[in-house]
Amino acid sequence: MSLTRVYLFTYNALAFTLWATSTTYAALLLTQQTPLPTIFNKIYNPYLLTAQSLAILEILHSLLGLVRAPVMTTLMQVASRLLLVWGIMYPFGDHGAAWGGSKIVGGFGGEAQLGDYAFLGCLGAWGVTECIRYGFFALQVGGVGVPGWWTWLRYNTFYVLYPLGISSECTMVVKALKPAAELHPAFWWFLVVVLGIYVPGSYILYTHMIAQRRKVLRKQKS
């Protein structure tokens, strides 16, 4: 393989491993009836934070032409995820207590609140989606060949997982409005603008995935 293919295979395999670890660990904690606030504190750092932050490289991949993904679509998707893990979960989770804002997720021994359920929704939707996506790309770039059932998962599961992820993300942003205002009014306004962008942005990303699915189906039929 060329150096570019080796790099892309390594990147996708690493991302798959990180997402598989965080998702499997969270599922294990759920089966053990672990309280949701505790799950957040165990999963968020370093697992989820590392896995999601790594996606910054995908913007560079698109800009350099290493992958065929559109720059704007990639930027929108990565930016929304980074907002959640760094702009919401970090300052308003248990790890961000030093910021002085109210917690909307996390807190050892506390009762689960809406933010904890929204976090679980994000983690579930993101985790399953990214395990499928990065595994798909790793197999594809590695020249191993992608099984038909994995291709089906890649281009069909988003119909359910994307709405779950978006609704969970929006819930976390809404829950963060009050503590954001406690930190600074500008932060509150920023999140309000973000919520206004979410509707058209979600439509663009959703229809992009539907278009990608149609292209794949046409190739399979031809």
Side-chain angles (χ1 to χ4, degrees):
M1 292 191 294
S2 66
L3 288 177
T4 299
R5 287 174 67 87
V6 170
Y7 166 74
L8 289 176
F9 172 78
T10 304
Y11 169 80
N12 285 291
L14 175 61
F16 170 81
T17 302
L18 288 170
W19 279 107
T21 301
S22 60
T23 307
T24 304
Y25 187 25
L28 177 62
L29 291 173
L30 279 173
T31 61
Q32 296 173 346
Q33 298 184 335
T34 306
L36 293 185
T38 304
I39 292 178
F40 171 82
N41 283 284
K42 287 181 175 292
I43 296 296
Y44 173 70
N45 190 16
Y47 302 106
L48 179 61
L49 191 63
T50 303
Q52 196 58 73
S53 298
L54 188 66
I56 295 175
L57 292 174
E58 294 182 26
I59 300 174
L60 185 61
H61 296 167
S62 184
L63 285 170
L64 295 178
L66 299 182
V67 296
R68 289 178 293 180
V71 176
M72 186 55 65
T73 302
T74 303
L75 181 62
M76 289 173 59
Q77 185 174 25
V78 174
S80 65
R81 299 282 191 84
L82 292 178
L83 167 67
L84 266 293
V85 296
W86 284 105
I88 304 295
M89 296 178 190
Y90 181 78
F92 306 129
D94 205 49
H95 290 85
W99 286 61
S102 302
K103 295 187 185 73
I104 64 169
V105 288
F108 283 108
E111 294 184 1
Q113 50 188 314
L114 184 58
D116 294 301
Y117 289 103
F119 165 76
L120 194 62
C122 287
L123 182 60
W126 295 352
V128 175
T129 298
E130 301 299 34
C131 283
I132 295 171
R133 185 167 72 95
Y134 287 118
F136 179 92
F137 289 143
L139 292 172
Q140 189 178 60
V141 175
V144 178
V146 183
W149 60 269
W150 203 310
T151 301
W152 186 90
L153 290 175
R154 170 80 174 96
Y155 293 103
N156 287 278
T157 53
F158 75 88
Y159 277 113
V160 174
L161 295 175
Y162 189 77
L164 172 62
I166 286 296
S167 58
S168 298
E169 291 174 25
C170 287
T171 299
M172 294 201 74
V173 175
V174 170
K175 289 293 294 181
L177 288 175
K178 182 178 179 180
E182 296 173 1
L183 293 180
H184 199 283
F187 197 1
W188 183 89
W189 279 109
F190 171 72
L191 294 183
V192 169
V193 171
V194 167
L195 285 172
I197 297 174
Y198 251 99
V199 174
S202 300
Y203 175 79
I204 292 172
L205 291 175
Y206 199 51
T207 53
H208 170 73
M209 290 185 287
I210 293 175
Q212 289 295 102
R213 179 180 183 274
R214 288 173 179 167
K215 288 181 182 179
V216 172
L217 291 178
R218 280 199 297 267
K219 288 182 179 179
Q220 290 179 339
K221 291 178 180 179
S222 60

